[in-house]
Protein backbone atom coordinates (compact mmCIF):
# COMPACT_ATOMS: atom_id res chain seq x y z
CA UNK A 1 0.00 0.00 0.00
CA UNK A 2 1.17 3.51 -0.77
CA UNK A 3 1.42 6.15 1.92
CA UNK A 4 -1.82 7.78 0.74
CA UNK A 5 -3.69 4.55 1.50
CA UNK A 6 -2.19 4.48 4.97
CA UNK A 7 -2.22 8.23 5.60
CA UNK A 8 -3.66 7.67 9.07
CA UNK A 9 -0.48 5.77 9.95
CA UNK A 10 1.92 8.27 8.40
CA UNK A 11 3.94 10.26 10.91
CA UNK A 12 4.85 13.80 9.90
CA UNK A 13 8.50 14.45 9.19
CA UNK A 14 10.29 16.51 11.85
CA UNK A 15 11.72 19.72 10.39
CA UNK A 16 14.29 21.62 12.47
CA UNK A 17 16.18 24.81 11.72
CA UNK A 18 19.82 24.02 12.46
CA UNK A 19 21.66 27.01 11.03
CA UNK A 20 21.54 30.44 9.43
CA UNK A 21 24.32 31.63 7.13
CA UNK A 22 24.77 34.94 5.34
CA UNK A 23 24.77 34.23 1.58
CA UNK A 24 25.03 37.75 0.14
CA UNK A 25 25.24 41.24 1.53
CA UNK A 26 23.60 44.14 -0.28
CA UNK A 27 22.89 47.72 0.68
CA UNK A 28 19.12 47.25 0.85
CA UNK A 29 18.68 43.52 1.42
CA UNK A 30 20.62 40.49 2.48
CA UNK A 31 20.19 36.88 1.51
CA UNK A 32 20.56 34.08 4.02
CA UNK A 33 20.71 30.31 3.73
CA UNK A 34 18.51 28.61 6.30
CA UNK A 35 19.67 25.07 6.96
CA UNK A 36 16.98 22.53 7.83
CA UNK A 37 17.28 18.97 9.08
CA UNK A 38 14.35 16.80 7.95
CA UNK A 39 13.89 13.60 9.96
CA UNK A 40 11.66 10.78 8.80
CA UNK A 41 10.10 8.80 11.68
CA UNK A 42 8.52 6.33 9.22
CA UNK A 43 9.93 3.03 7.96
CA UNK A 44 9.26 3.96 4.32
CA UNK A 45 11.17 6.67 2.45
CA UNK A 46 9.44 10.05 2.09
CA UNK A 47 9.79 12.34 -0.90
CA UNK A 48 9.42 15.97 0.06
CA UNK A 49 8.16 17.75 -3.06
CA UNK A 50 7.85 21.25 -1.63
CA UNK A 51 8.43 23.12 1.61
CA UNK A 52 6.85 26.54 2.27
CA UNK A 53 7.56 28.41 5.50
CA UNK A 54 7.88 31.64 7.39
CA UNK A 55 10.61 32.05 10.01
CA UNK A 56 10.71 34.12 13.18
CA UNK A 57 13.71 34.90 15.37
CA UNK A 58 13.04 36.00 18.93
CA UNK A 59 9.35 36.45 18.09
CA UNK A 60 10.00 38.78 15.13
CA UNK A 61 9.48 37.95 11.45
CA UNK A 62 12.77 37.10 9.76
CA UNK A 63 11.99 35.68 6.33
CA UNK A 64 9.83 33.50 4.15
CA UNK A 65 10.91 30.87 1.72
CA UNK A 66 10.25 27.70 -0.14
CA UNK A 67 12.12 24.72 -1.46
CA UNK A 68 10.75 23.21 -4.63
CA UNK A 69 13.44 20.63 -5.46
CA UNK A 70 12.37 17.10 -4.49
CA UNK A 71 14.27 15.64 -1.53
CA UNK A 72 14.18 11.95 -0.61
CA UNK A 73 14.34 11.29 3.12
CA UNK A 74 15.19 7.65 3.88
CA UNK A 75 13.04 5.64 6.23
CA UNK A 76 14.10 6.31 9.84
CA UNK A 77 16.75 8.65 8.39
CA UNK A 78 17.32 12.31 7.75
CA UNK A 79 18.23 14.74 5.00
CA UNK A 80 19.58 18.28 5.01
CA UNK A 81 17.86 21.04 3.09
CA UNK A 82 19.26 24.52 2.38
CA UNK A 83 16.77 27.28 1.53
CA UNK A 84 17.71 30.84 0.54
CA UNK A 85 15.61 33.66 2.00
CA UNK A 86 15.79 37.44 1.89
CA UNK A 87 16.01 39.01 5.31
CA UNK A 88 17.60 41.77 7.30
CA UNK A 89 21.07 41.45 8.77
CA UNK A 90 20.15 44.27 11.14
CA UNK A 91 17.17 42.28 12.44
CA UNK A 92 19.36 39.22 12.92
CA UNK A 93 22.05 41.15 14.81
CA UNK A 94 19.48 43.11 16.88
CA UNK A 95 17.77 39.88 17.95
CA UNK A 96 21.12 38.28 18.80
CA UNK A 97 22.16 41.36 20.80
CA UNK A 98 18.91 41.36 22.79
CA UNK A 99 19.33 37.66 23.59
CA UNK A 100 22.89 38.25 24.79
CA UNK A 101 21.85 41.29 26.87
CA UNK A 102 19.25 39.10 28.56
CA UNK A 103 21.99 36.62 29.43
CA UNK A 104 21.03 34.01 26.86
CA UNK A 105 23.54 32.29 24.61
CA UNK A 106 20.77 31.23 22.21
CA UNK A 107 18.01 32.85 20.17
CA UNK A 108 14.56 31.34 19.90
CA UNK A 109 13.09 30.52 16.51
CA UNK A 110 9.71 29.49 15.18
CA UNK A 111 9.10 27.96 11.76
CA UNK A 112 5.53 27.76 10.50
CA UNK A 113 4.62 26.26 7.14
CA UNK A 114 3.61 23.26 5.12
CA UNK A 115 5.36 20.33 3.51
CA UNK A 116 4.09 18.61 0.37
CA UNK A 117 4.89 14.90 0.47
CA UNK A 118 4.65 12.60 -2.53
CA UNK A 119 1.70 10.20 -2.08
CA UNK A 120 0.60 11.94 1.15
CA UNK A 121 -0.35 15.50 0.17
CA UNK A 122 0.25 18.75 2.00
CA UNK A 123 0.80 18.64 5.75
CA UNK A 124 1.10 21.73 7.99
CA UNK A 125 3.92 22.00 10.50
CA UNK A 126 5.19 24.28 13.24
CA UNK A 127 8.51 23.95 14.98
CA UNK A 128 10.10 25.95 17.80
CA UNK A 129 13.64 25.76 19.09
CA UNK A 130 16.83 27.65 19.73
CA UNK A 131 19.93 28.58 17.74
CA UNK A 132 23.25 29.83 19.09
CA UNK A 133 23.44 33.62 19.22
CA UNK A 134 26.08 34.62 16.68
CA UNK A 135 26.58 38.19 17.81
CA UNK A 136 30.25 38.17 18.76
CA UNK A 137 30.45 41.98 19.09
CA UNK A 138 27.29 42.38 21.17
CA UNK A 139 27.25 42.98 24.90
CA UNK A 140 28.42 39.87 26.78
CA UNK A 141 25.96 37.67 28.61
CA UNK A 142 25.28 38.91 32.14
CA UNK A 143 24.72 36.59 35.07
CA UNK A 144 21.86 34.43 33.78
CA UNK A 145 22.51 31.22 31.97
CA UNK A 146 20.49 30.11 28.98
CA UNK A 147 18.42 26.96 28.83
CA UNK A 148 19.01 24.28 26.29
CA UNK A 149 16.41 21.78 27.46
CA UNK A 150 15.63 19.36 24.70
CA UNK A 151 17.63 21.19 22.07
CA UNK A 152 20.38 19.53 20.14
CA UNK A 153 23.63 21.35 19.41
CA UNK A 154 24.34 22.42 15.85
Amino acid sequence: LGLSACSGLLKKPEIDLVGVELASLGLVEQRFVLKFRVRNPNAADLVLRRLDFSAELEGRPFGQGNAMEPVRVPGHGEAMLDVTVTGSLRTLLDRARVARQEGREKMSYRILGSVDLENAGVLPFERKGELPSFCATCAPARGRSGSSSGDKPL
Side-chain angles (χ1 to χ4, degrees):
L1 291 175
L3 284 176
S4 59
C6 304
S7 60
L9 303 176
L10 175 69
K11 295 179 185 171
K12 290 183 185 180
E14 299 169 6
I15 302 170
D16 290 303
L17 178 63
V18 295
V20 179
E21 294 179 359
L22 182 62
S24 66
L25 187 60
L27 185 60
V28 177
E29 68 180 28
Q30 296 78 46
R31 298 186 65 73
F32 297 88
V33 175
L34 275 57
K35 298 187 167 290
F36 293 96
R37 178 181 298 120
V38 182
R39 289 190 197 103
N40 179 1
N42 301 287
D45 290 1
L46 292 177
V47 176
L48 185 148
R49 293 190 300 201
R50 182 179 175 109
L51 173 73
D52 295 293
F53 67 91
S54 60
E56 296 176 357
L57 289 176
E58 291 292 311
R60 301 267 173 97
F62 178 69
Q64 297 180 350
N66 58 53
M68 298 182 353
E69 294 289 325
V71 175
R72 181 171 299 278
V73 186
H76 298 295
E78 63 182 43
M80 297 301 291
L81 181 63
D82 292 352
V83 183
T84 302
V85 300
T86 300
S88 165
L89 182 59
R90 181 177 180 157
T91 298
L92 179 64
L93 293 176
D94 284 349
R95 298 293 88 213
R97 182 181 46 78
V98 167
R100 296 279 295 162
Q101 286 175 342
E102 292 176 355
R104 295 180 287 122
E105 299 277 331
K106 297 185 176 192
M107 295 186 303
S108 64
Y109 74 81
R110 178 176 176 241
I111 303 294
L112 184 64
S114 63
V115 59
D116 184 356
L117 299 174
E118 187 174 89
N119 298 323
V122 178
L123 303 172
F125 74 93
E126 178 179 1
R127 198 72 170 177
K128 295 178 182 179
E130 292 183 321
L131 290 170
S133 175
F134 16 49
C135 187
T137 62
C138 299
R142 297 177 299 184
R144 289 183 264 164
S145 63
S147 169
S148 61
S149 59
D151 286 336
K152 295 171 182 59
L154 297 181

